[in-house]
Amino acid sequence: MGQVSGKVAIVTGGASGIGEACAETLAREGASVLITDIDDHLGKTVVARITKAGGKAHYLHHDVRDEGAWLGVIAEAETRFGRLDIMVANAGIGVAAPIETMTLADWQRQQAINLDGVFLSIKHAIPAMRRAGGGSIVLMSSIAGLRGSPGLAAYSATKGGVRLLSKSVALEHAHDNIRCNSVHPGIIATPIWGKIPTSAEGNRRNAAIDPVERSAAITPLVRVGEAQDIANGVLFLCTDAANYMTGQELVIDGGITAGGRPQARPQ
Ligand code: NAP
């Protein structure tokens, strides 16, 4: 018996990185998973892997900014799998630029995917969760939503917004038995770091803000975080073991935000 057997989940941005690990983990633990993304090839590959392993999953092309299409996403989960219990609002991008030179267009694109997209995920999941008698909403924030991130100010603003959005939703819908929590990954080795566009340089690798290579050195647990580390926390929030937990922040960062600088290790 899996930890989320019989539950139905939607994972946005589920074709890659953390979303992919969340989708695979939820499916392995018995959930039926509707994966949405804009990368159809990767999304279908993840579904094929889950199905081959005996899990239940389906892929749907969906840009989280598209409100009209959200109704179809929720309807697909309910008609294909019967209900909706879990929403993992994970899709996100990072736009790097100093605040002084960031264009309004880049600022707005950052907000549209990371914040408007999360708002729409919640808004459209709630009626379906109410029909199911409750649910768990997990919002993918970041440690950049807990403290400042020079060079990633717009990203940081979205992740801080997600943090408080989560708490407000938790309070508004506790009486519906709908829980809402935020997850705050540290530096996780996923493809996102190779995609971060900058206002000035376009969509190409920006070595200056790629911290994955040096993350082991700045992480108290002395290793790069893996997508599975985050999926493990997301899984917990979706299980009944977390059913008294709402409006909270789950930080999974190898200890980065626990204190000041990492201590020198004893020789
Ligand atoms: P990732 O590997 O790039 O995966 C994100 C997925 O979302 C990609 O498949 C991407 O497609 C998709 N996506 C982008 N824009 C979308 C849109 N408008 N609608 C639907 N899907 C869209 O990144 P990740 O590292 O797993 O990040 C997942 C989440 O974790 C993000 O919210 C990110 O901010 C957060 N996070 C990541 C880290 C980290 O260190 N990796 C740390 C803290 C928080 P394309 O590839 O086509 O853009």
Side-chain angles (χ1 to χ4, degrees):
M1 185 77 171
Q3 296 183 60
V4 284
S5 280
K7 294 186 193 285
V8 176
I10 294 175
V11 180
T12 72
S16 172
I18 292 171
E20 174 184 1
C22 290
E24 292 206 341
T25 301
L26 289 167
R28 196 184 317 127
E29 290 296 331
S32 302
V33 184
L34 182 61
I35 295 170
T36 68
D37 206 291
I38 52 173
D39 190 324
D40 298 346
H41 173 68
L42 284 184
K44 287 175 185 168
T45 306
V46 178
V47 166
R49 220 169 33 240
I50 290 173
T51 309
K52 193 171 172 207
K56 282 195 203 138
H58 182 71
Y59 174 75
L60 209 56
H61 177 95
H62 179 233
D63 185 320
V64 287
R65 293 169 288 186
D66 184 347
E67 177 156 31
W70 260 113
L71 300 174
V73 171
I74 302 295
E76 181 76 31
E78 289 189 309
T79 51
R80 183 173 289 272
F81 297 129
R83 52 194 287 128
L84 180 65
D85 306 282
I86 295 165
M87 168 63 73
V88 183
N90 163 80
I93 62 161
V95 178
I99 197 74
E100 227 184 330
T101 54
M102 176 166 245
T103 64
L104 181 59
D106 275 340
W107 168 271
Q108 288 172 337
R109 179 162 173 266
Q110 178 71 87
Q111 309 300 314
I113 296 175
N114 289 25
L115 207 44
D116 299 359
V118 170
F119 154 67
L120 293 172
S121 311
I122 300 166
K123 175 181 172 171
H124 292 288
I126 282 171
M129 288 184 171
R130 206 184 276 120
R131 285 191 284 277
S136 173
I137 300 173
V138 181
L139 308 184
M140 200 57 66
S141 180
S142 168
I143 57 171
L146 301 174
R147 60 183 203 181
S149 297
L152 284 169
Y155 177 81
S156 193
T158 66
K159 295 303 185 181
V162 162
R163 171 177 171 267
L164 280 182
L165 176 60
S166 170
K167 294 181 194 302
S168 300
V169 170
L171 295 176
E172 276 186 35
H173 289 282
H175 67 280
D176 289 323
N177 191 31
I178 297 172
R179 299 182 294 105
C180 185
N181 294 285
S182 56
V183 171
H184 301 258
I187 300 163
I188 310 300
T190 73
I192 200 172
W193 296 106
K195 303 179 208 168
I196 291 182
T198 66
S199 295
E201 299 174 84
N203 192 8
R204 72 173 178 79
R205 189 174 184 82
N206 182 349
I209 48 102
D210 181 352
V212 171
E213 284 158 26
R214 57 191 170 87
S215 71
I218 61 168
T219 302
L221 284 178
V222 213
R223 71 170 173 85
V224 179
E226 303 294 337
Q228 188 63 50
D229 294 315
I230 308 307
N232 294 341
V234 170
L235 171 66
F236 167 67
L237 291 172
C238 297
T239 65
D240 292 341
N243 69 10
Y244 201 52
M245 188 168 170
T246 196
Q248 301 307 314
E249 301 158 26
L250 185 56
V251 182
I252 308 173
D253 69 351
I256 291 175
T257 54
R261 293 177 180 282
Q263 301 297 308
R265 270 170 282 284
Q267 299 301 311

